Amino acid sequence: MPHTTTLRRLALAAAMPVLLSACDIPGLGPDPRVVQREAEAKAVGGACRHALRGLEDCFTLNPKAPKAAVFAGWKE
């Protein structure tokens, strides 16, 4: 009898990673503030290009925006 209990526990322990691999645990994803900030910086870059501003002017006018995201928005 103790042998069956051990096998059940072993089977459960082996199945747990597979069962939990699809779980979406809150708090483990990217920080929404960072995602929002990068999206806004991309929008700023796109707006600068639409307004026919140079990329350097866009960086100067928006010093707090991440430069990589501004460039990505300007390039799109």
Side-chain angles (χ1 to χ4, degrees), residues 21-63:
S21 65
C23 287
D24 188 21
I25 300 172
L28 291 182
D31 188 13
R33 293 173 290 186
V34 173
V35 173
Q36 178 71 24
R37 185 174 175 207
E38 288 183 8
E40 287 176 358
K42 283 181 79 172
V44 164
C48 283
R49 183 166 182 165
H50 184 72
L52 301 176
R53 287 197 177 124
L55 189 57
E56 295 80 15
D57 295 336
C58 194
F59 289 153
T60 304
L61 293 172
N62 303 289

